[in-house]
Amino acid sequence: MIREYKTIHQVDGPLMMVEHVQGVTYDELGEIELPNGDVRRCKVLEVNGDTAVVQLFESSAGINLRDSKIRFLGHPLELAVSDDMLGRVFNGMGQPIDGGPEILAADHRDINGLAMNPAARDYPNEFIQTGISTIDGLNTLVRGQKLPIFSGSGLPHSNLAAQIARQAKVLGGGNFAVVFAAIGITFEESEFFIQDFRRTGALDRTVLFINLANDPAVERIATPRMALTAAEYLAFDKGMHVLVILTDITNYAEALREVSAAKKEVPGRRGYPGYLYTDLATMYERAGRRLGTEGSITMIPILTMPEDDKTHPIPDLTGYITEGQIILSRDLFRAGVNPPVDVLPSLSRLKDKGIGEGKTREDHSGTMNQLFAAYATGKENKELMSILGEAALSPTDLIYAKFADEFEKRYVSQGFDENRSIEETLDLGWELLSMLPVGELKRIKEEHIEKYLPKKDKEA
Amino acid sequence: MSGKIVKVSGPLVVATGLGDANMADVVRVGEQRLIGEILNMTGDSASIQVYEETSGLGPGAVVETTGAPLSVELGPGLIETIYDGIQRPLEKIMSISGATIQRGVEVPALDRERKWTFQPVAKPGDALQGGDILGLVQETPVVLHKIMVPPRMKGTLVSIENGEFTVEETVAVLKTDDGKEVPLTMVQKWPVRVGRPYKHKYPPKTPLCSGQRIIDTLFPLAKGGTAAVPGPFGSGKTVVQHQLAKWSDVDIVVYIGCGERGNEMTDVLREFPELVDPRTGESLMKRTVLIANTSDMPVAAREASIYTGITIAEYFRDMGYDVAVIADSTSRWAEALREMSGRLEEMPGEEGYPAYLSSRLAQFYERAGVVECLGSDAERRGTLTAVGAVSPPGGDLSEPVSQATMRIVKVFWSLDSGLAYRRHFPAINWLRSHSLYLDGLKEWFDENLGEEFLQQREKAMAILQEESSLNEIVQLVGKDSLSPKDQLTLETARIIREDFLQQNAFMDEDSHSPFLRQRRLLGLALHYDKLCRDAIEQGADPAQLFAIPARDRLGRAKSASAEQYAAVFDNIGMDMEDQIAAIVKGGEDE
């Protein structure tokens, strides 16, 4: 049943009030037809008796209260999915913008998806080799994980994400696809990704959803959900291993705040709505693996932390939902370390499930912990040294300080083009650890020290 | 009795024509019969929170009341099951609706087909009252499920069965005082927002052994007590909660994943069946009930989930068991409360949370305790321990949920992201945490572990305190300017931190450590301190003392296996004495 009304009573930013409606349901999709024939989309936020509050996905400019018509379509916002989507470019609302033909839909899916039953999840434990030492060695990514990159404005997060998309591979292979959602980023940033995908031939395996900075902000609320709906189809219907890159979540949250403010909701921290956590969770939690299906969704959301502040609500709530975070550091970036991954506060919660014998190598866990601890000690000692001078440190402390420098120079700073195998990463770790006295390697099993520690230093 | 929807706003639905419904009744909303609960009533219109996604609902849809408040089913079949926030079994839902949770799925909480062997305990003619045991069902190899007379019921037993029954079949008939014959099954229903009754409550006196050294030795939790674990993300909150769920020496664990990650619940679901309970030799899952309302599941059911969990826990407590409820995380629960409150257009308190936040939290934690259970048999005691995680935004403990929680709970394990960056796990900050049970538990500790247990604890805490003030000096003038004794204090503090407090949850030998072993390990560290202190008095060089091989072995002592640890510790202790004596002697000879 399609019902059409000309009873738009009020337009206020992205919100509209429509009166004398009947049979309208919550979350239903609507279309507004302007006198000049333009059609814009909206969804129902609230129905109270015969009044409906709807939220526009596009700009409200040009809507005339008297002559505009609104139609309710009887279903929520949907995306037409099919495997023809691979290699195509869509706008933030899921319409093709690459000049190609319309997608012949295999199915129409509600973009909100449904909550995944925790009993039906399969635990992510397959190691993904990204070729980046700080990730593979210390913050291991596994299939089905959601691992965000916390960055700041001006930091090379796009390069890092592109490097991961380019180099990521799983021992054993599988059918691979990338779903990329640009959420309110600039044309140049978006073009960087497209060019990089094209250069490496990945574009044919990629679905792009592009909402640029000058596209309507409210559309951004739908864009990541469009991308995830496409990803779910490819992963769980078509058995592909999908890497989803969402950039930039900060823009998404700001769009959400804009709508919330228009609705006059009680704001939570920094004006963001109280349900920001739940809202983000309904996106992030769509990553994962399901029992009995082949595919997986691995998610890398990118967000720029306002003022590089990790306690800002967006990174904070994200960190509570995702399975770890890769944090980029401005200090390292300034020092010319690339990718500038800040190792200590970065974390992959699922690393312990994806590493070790049969997955990477038996010594992985021990060396990882040892490298972390040694680097942390080294950095502390360096700080101490800058206050008190070298003389205040014991010889061991000095070795640690030197270790921290070498670690940053050789382990972290590998550039955006070097692709290291996991063995190379682990061996490099041992090489660095051999700088330390053997007695300090308490977190590594003795038999592994025997087997892997470069020999010359042991005799010394 | 049915009404009609007039307003839909997210999970909040307003319906009229519900004059006959009661406050807090469960209602069925719309064609899909979504489950909801009445939050408040004005005239014949009711505000309803719906536990499922309300997409597609509109004015005019039918609302029916069930006439009963939100309740859980209590009976055999609870253990080993994973439920959602309103006690729907998720594995059954999966067999009906696949990998995602479709709306309006109706599944009974307890399996209706499965037969249980009911072994009667009461005899016909017995005068019984609420809480008395009718019979026994061996639910899992480690859980003996006691079928009890529901609270507030009283009468004479007319008949009782023996054999295999489903939960719906009558196993006994009770004649009440007014002459009515009431058939009893193995299942009881209980409203989740009402605490189950008991005879008396007592202060907690026995410790809960979690096998985690920093918890058991420094900040112990009592059985029947309450604790909170606040911490910013990445500080290992969930690992601490999982460790408690795994190794606590209780009979039953109810683990509530409230608004947290789906994969974490999956992890519990896949890992627990593989882990062996050191006390029973059976799989840990055989004593666990899981409630999972992950962050992507409907927010209103999240609000209900902690009540569902604690009611199930109280039921097992009533049988006389030690039960632990572990809720991860109460902050997400509070957020659900805030969201509903906002939609009800209530006047917000701090940070948008409703004004009743702290009283609701207090009501939850107050359901913990040591109680004398209902029933005519004397001295059946059960305990309910409640542990809640708190996820303060930005790690800032001044926010309302942390503050309200801190006022209520007795044990506070404050997680520290600084420790987590250094990979010091569990990242519980020893200077900011506290336990108020130390006095109450003193008697038990003195009796079972000797007085030295608490003396050692005090000593260790003093050393750690001193370390933090010495560190301030070191920051200014460097380590070398400290006196040898102060240097030793720093070294001992390092041993306590690295070799005692740090514990690797993922290493089999170290994941869990019984009380006695904890006492011995800390004893060893303090023994080293004492020997060195004496040696320094006699003029030994601290650098030499810190470099003895036994010091290194002390660092690896925690990875000794459970069978060998006593011998290994003894051996390290002896080596230590010899090596330090040799240094002292060497010094004298020169």
Side-chain angles (χ1 to χ4, degrees):
Chain A
M1 177 177 65
I2 294 174
R3 298 133 292 160
E4 211 170 71
Y5 300 95
K6 284 179 80 173
T7 49
I8 302 173
H9 175 66
Q10 189 188 9
V11 182
D12 180 5
L15 299 189
M16 253 178 14
M17 207 192 282
V18 190
E19 293 188 323
H20 309 300
V21 295
Q22 265 194 338
V24 174
T25 62
Y26 174 71
D27 207 29
E28 191 173 345
L29 184 67
E31 277 179 356
I32 301 146
E33 198 182 317
L34 270 53
N36 64 4
D38 269 12
V39 174
R40 295 186 189 159
R41 293 201 269 181
C42 61
K43 74 167 182 179
V44 177
L45 284 186
E46 186 180 307
V47 245
N48 191 354
D50 63 353
T51 310
V53 178
V54 299
Q55 174 207 320
L56 282 155
F57 284 114
E58 287 150 270
S59 151
S60 56
I63 293 179
N64 176 301
L65 297 193
R66 196 181 56 225
D67 296 325
S68 302
K69 285 184 277 191
I70 180 162
R71 264 191 304 274
F72 292 99
L73 304 181
H75 61 80
L77 186 51
E78 287 174 341
L79 177 72
V81 289
S82 124
D83 29 356
D84 297 338
M85 298 179 95
L86 286 168
R88 301 289 306 272
V89 185
F90 301 85
N91 69 6
M93 292 296 286
Q95 289 144 342
I97 50 168
D98 54 0
E102 287 286 321
I103 295 293
L104 281 174
D107 196 4
H108 288 86
R109 296 274 164 90
D110 178 354
I111 64 157
N112 289 314
L114 282 167
M116 214 192 286
N117 188 332
R121 279 182 190 266
D122 198 1
Y123 202 78
N125 56 8
E126 283 173 292
F127 170 70
I128 297 181
Q129 180 179 302
T130 64
I132 301 164
S133 293
T134 43
I135 296 179
D136 292 350
L138 302 176
N139 296 293
T140 316
L141 179 69
V142 297
R143 254 183 192 169
Q145 185 174 13
K146 37 193 180 296
L147 188 66
I149 299 175
F150 287 8
S151 179
S153 27
L155 294 180
H157 44 263
S158 301
N159 302 56
L160 180 61
Q163 189 178 11
I164 295 173
R166 193 169 60 230
Q167 299 179 353
K169 67 167 192 194
V170 182
L171 312 167
N175 208 347
F176 198 75
V178 176
V179 173
F180 176 79
I183 310 162
I185 61 174
T186 61
F187 168 78
E188 281 165 48
E189 281 175 278
S190 144
E191 202 57 20
F192 166 80
F193 278 100
I194 297 177
Q195 289 308 332
D196 199 82
F197 292 146
R198 183 166 293 143
R199 182 167 64 89
T200 54
L203 201 59
D204 295 345
R205 317 281 319 144
T206 304
V207 189
L208 295 109
F209 291 85
I210 310 284
N211 168 286
L212 295 181
N214 59 349
D215 289 328
V218 278
E219 194 181 295
R220 279 165 212 161
I221 295 178
T223 307
R225 298 200 157 78
M226 292 279 170
L228 286 164
T229 308
E232 275 175 0
Y233 175 77
L234 295 175
F236 304 127
D237 288 49
K238 295 288 155 190
M240 294 183 188
H241 294 287
V242 185
L243 180 70
V244 180
I245 299 175
L246 307 172
T247 175
D248 177 327
I249 296 294
T250 306
N251 296 334
Y252 169 83
E254 266 161 18
L256 204 66
R257 175 165 70 175
E258 192 179 325
V259 175
S260 166
K263 284 196 273 184
K264 301 191 171 59
E265 290 171 335
V266 179
R269 280 207 312 153
R270 299 228 184 172
Y272 291 97
Y275 49 80
L276 182 61
Y277 174 84
T278 306
D279 189 276
L280 289 175
T282 53
M283 296 196 317
Y284 296 147
E285 281 290 328
R286 289 168 80 170
R289 296 168 64 202
R290 292 179 184 174
L291 283 177
T293 47
E294 178 69 15
S296 65
I297 297 180
T298 309
M299 195 191 292
I300 302 190
I302 299 174
L303 55 91
T304 45
M305 298 182 277
E307 299 166 49
D308 292 354
D309 175 12
K310 198 165 62 107
T311 65
H312 184 280
I314 301 168
D316 187 53
L317 296 178
T318 298
Y320 273 122
I321 306 161
T322 53
E323 286 133 355
Q325 66 276 338
I326 302 290
I327 298 187
L328 301 188
S329 148
R330 205 170 285 279
D331 288 342
L332 287 177
F333 182 58
R334 278 202 206 104
V337 172
N338 267 320
V341 175
D342 199 352
V343 169
L344 296 179
S346 295
L347 168 74
S348 162
R349 291 167 190 273
L350 303 182
K351 59 178 188 296
D352 297 296
K353 315 280 175 176
I355 63 174
E357 210 171 347
K359 288 174 174 158
T360 53
R361 210 166 73 183
E362 52 180 353
D363 57 323
H364 194 154
S365 166
T367 47
M368 176 176 76
N369 288 328
Q370 192 70 58
L371 282 169
F372 265 123
Y375 181 54
T377 315
K379 275 192 80 165
E380 261 171 37
N381 293 348
K382 271 176 69 182
E383 249 167 57
L384 215 57
M385 200 159 80
S386 67
I387 305 171
L388 300 168
E390 234 173 80
L393 298 189
S394 72
T396 323
D397 291 347
L398 278 175
I399 296 178
Y400 270 111
K402 188 153 174 283
F403 171 87
D405 284 335
E406 283 294 305
F407 178 81
E408 283 174 11
K409 212 182 319 169
R410 296 177 55 196
Y411 198 89
V412 184
S413 189
Q414 67 177 87
F416 291 113
D417 291 309
E418 192 177 333
N419 188 355
R420 291 181 187 156
S421 75
I422 181 65
E423 285 77 19
E424 284 169 339
T425 293
L426 289 172
D427 292 343
L428 180 60
W430 278 108
E431 220 176 294
L432 289 166
L433 287 175
S434 69
M435 292 171 67
L436 304 174
V438 182
E440 294 287 317
L441 306 182
K442 274 191 225 163
R443 293 171 190 246
I444 308 179
K445 286 190 179 163
E446 278 171 66
E447 69 237 44
H448 293 160
I449 295 181
E450 193 62 37
K451 190 164 163 194
Y452 294 104
L453 189 70
K455 288 285 184 245
K456 58 179 193 310
D457 291 87
K458 214 178 334 177
E459 286 153 18
Chain B
M1 179 67 219
S2 67
K4 283 209 168 8
I5 295 184
V6 292
K7 176 183 172 181
V8 185
S9 166
L12 178 77
V13 167
V14 179
T16 54
L18 286 171
D20 283 356
N22 311 308
M23 208 27 208
D25 271 3
V26 168
V27 294
R28 294 297 192 145
V29 181
E31 267 171 43
Q32 285 167 305
R33 295 180 58 76
L34 309 181
I35 301 167
E37 184 182 3
I38 296 182
L39 289 183
N40 63 37
M41 302 195 74
T42 322
D44 72 343
S45 94
S47 300
I48 298 159
Q49 72 171 340
V50 179
Y51 292 127
E52 295 173 86
E53 177 58 50
T54 50
S55 174
L57 280 183
V62 177
V63 177
E64 274 174 46
T65 171
T66 59
L70 185 65
S71 305
V72 287
E73 285 188 353
L74 303 166
L78 288 167
I79 303 286
E80 286 187 274
T81 312
I82 176 167
Y83 291 110
D84 77 351
I86 46 174
Q87 216 204 5
R88 293 184 302 179
L90 284 168
E91 271 167 342
K92 283 271 161 55
I93 291 182
M94 183 167 78
S95 64
I96 294 171
S97 80
T100 55
I101 301 173
Q102 308 281 351
R103 294 189 294 161
V105 185
E106 266 185 85
V107 198
L110 298 176
D111 195 331
R112 291 289 185 265
E113 316 280 300
R114 182 158 175 190
K115 293 217 171 208
W116 299 95
T117 310
F118 176 81
Q119 203 190 340
V121 170
K123 289 181 292 297
D126 284 359
L128 295 178
Q129 62 180 57
D132 279 345
I133 294 164
L134 287 170
L136 303 171
V137 171
Q138 192 72 46
E139 186 171 351
T140 72
V142 294
V143 177
L144 185 64
H145 197 115
K146 300 172 186 166
I147 308 293
M148 296 171 292
V149 178
R152 293 173 198 159
M153 202 174 265
K154 211 171 167 181
T156 318
L157 194 65
V158 179
S159 65
I160 190 158
E161 308 291 329
N162 185 354
E164 306 241 314
F165 299 94
T166 68
V167 288
E168 278 181 317
E169 286 169 330
T170 303
V171 290
V173 177
L174 196 71
K175 190 170 185 177
T176 56
D177 294 346
D178 52 8
K180 256 192 277 176
E181 291 203 347
V182 187
L184 297 175
T185 63
M186 287 191 270
V187 63
Q188 327 182 352
K189 278 205 156 201
W190 192 263
V192 296
R193 294 182 200 278
V194 182
R196 285 176 62 87
Y198 48 82
K199 265 196 239 160
H200 291 292
K201 209 167 195 171
Y202 299 95
K205 290 280 186 217
T206 37
L208 177 129
C209 179
S210 66
Q212 310 306 300
R213 289 186 289 264
I214 184 158
I215 291 178
D216 293 350
T217 301
L218 294 191
F219 310 106
L221 171 60
K223 279 181 185 156
T226 53
V229 198
F233 67 83
S235 56
K237 238 181 350 285
T238 301
V239 178
V240 170
Q241 300 267 73
H242 281 194
Q243 288 294 90
L244 286 169
K246 282 177 196 167
W247 307 122
S248 290
D249 64 338
V250 292
D251 302 305
I252 309 283
V253 171
V254 181
Y255 190 93
I256 310 169
C258 171
E260 286 290 315
R261 303 178 183 90
N263 277 331
E264 278 169 9
M265 291 316 292
T266 314
D267 188 22
V268 174
L269 205 57
R270 305 271 176 274
E271 192 186 5
F272 276 33
E274 318 257 304
L275 291 169
V276 174
D277 185 345
R279 298 192 313 146
T280 59
E282 285 287 337
S283 130
L284 280 174
M285 201 63 195
K286 304 260 179 240
R287 62 161 200 185
T288 310
V289 184
L290 297 174
I291 314 280
N293 202 263
T294 55
S295 54
D296 55 339
M297 283 156 79
V299 70
R302 192 193 299 168
E303 194 268 329
S305 64
I306 72 166
Y307 296 106
T308 300
I310 203 154
T311 310
I312 292 174
E314 282 177 335
Y315 173 67
F316 284 107
R317 173 206 69 188
D318 290 346
M319 297 177 199
Y321 288 128
D322 293 326
V323 189
V325 171
I326 292 162
D328 186 12
S329 133
T330 56
S331 294
R332 305 299 162 224
W333 167 81
E335 277 168 12
L337 209 62
R338 171 167 73 181
E339 188 171 342
M340 288 318 297
S341 163
R343 296 206 189 256
L344 286 167
E345 292 166 12
E346 292 172 341
M347 181 68 86
E350 256 180 291
E351 287 193 21
Y353 286 105
Y356 45 80
L357 170 70
S358 66
S359 62
R360 291 278 172 91
L361 265 174
Q363 278 164 15
F364 169 73
Y365 282 110
E366 201 49 29
R367 286 170 79 167
V370 180
V371 303
E372 192 177 321
C373 310
L374 284 188
S376 34
D377 52 334
E379 284 295 299
R380 189 188 338 148
R381 283 202 185 187
T383 66
L384 201 173
T385 312
V387 182
V390 182
S391 321
D396 170 16
L397 294 182
S398 66
E399 58 93 37
V401 182
S402 308
Q403 284 300 314
T405 307
M406 278 164 88
R407 285 208 304 273
I408 307 158
V409 299
K410 291 279 179 57
V411 178
F412 196 68
W413 297 311
S414 178
L415 295 173
D416 184 343
S417 52
L419 290 174
Y421 293 165
R422 288 204 294 275
R423 298 305 188 260
H424 175 112
F425 288 115
I428 297 174
N429 184 306
W430 47 91
L431 299 174
R432 287 204 309 249
S433 304
H434 65 249
S435 164
L436 300 181
Y437 290 117
L438 283 165
D439 290 336
L441 296 177
K442 187 171 187 312
E443 204 178 313
W444 190 95
F445 280 136
D446 286 353
E447 211 165 283
N448 292 278
L449 294 164
E451 284 180 15
E452 72 257 39
F453 183 80
L454 283 177
Q455 286 162 0
Q456 280 184 4
R457 176 196 180 270
E458 235 163 77
K459 184 95 201 288
M461 281 305 282
I463 290 173
L464 291 169
Q465 281 285 355
E466 207 181 333
E467 183 200 26
S468 92
S469 44
L470 284 175
N471 268 340
E472 280 168 28
I473 302 174
V474 172
Q475 292 282 345
L476 292 175
V477 296
K479 221 181 221 173
D480 291 341
S481 50
L482 292 181
S483 72
K485 279 197 174 167
D486 285 345
Q487 287 182 28
L488 173 64
T489 304
L490 286 186
E491 183 69 10
T492 312
R494 187 174 157 201
I495 295 176
I496 295 175
R497 279 188 289 113
E498 293 183 0
D499 305 333
F500 181 73
L501 296 183
Q502 278 186 21
Q503 196 167 352
N504 189 342
F506 302 102
M507 193 197 268
D508 292 343
E509 300 83 15
D510 199 25
S511 181
H512 163 258
S513 174
F515 265 127
L516 199 61
R517 180 168 176 169
Q518 297 187 22
R519 194 196 76 188
R520 299 266 335 249
L521 185 58
L522 186 58
L524 205 56
L526 294 175
H527 188 49
Y528 172 78
D529 181 72
K530 182 162 187 317
L531 290 172
C532 288
R533 216 158 279 268
D534 292 346
I536 288 172
E537 292 258 307
Q538 295 170 49
D541 174 15
Q544 268 186 318
L545 292 172
F546 302 162
I548 58 170
R551 161 75 186 83
D552 247 15
R553 289 184 57 208
L554 181 56
R556 292 179 186 276
K558 56 186 169 187
S559 57
S561 71
E563 298 82 40
Q564 289 169 340
Y565 86 88
V568 172
F569 286 12
D570 283 342
N571 188 274
I572 294 175
M574 283 187 299
D575 280 5
M576 208 150 69
E577 283 166 19
D578 294 348
Q579 286 159 4
I580 291 174
I583 291 174
V584 173
K585 194 157 176 296
E588 278 165 3
D589 290 347
E590 269 168 28

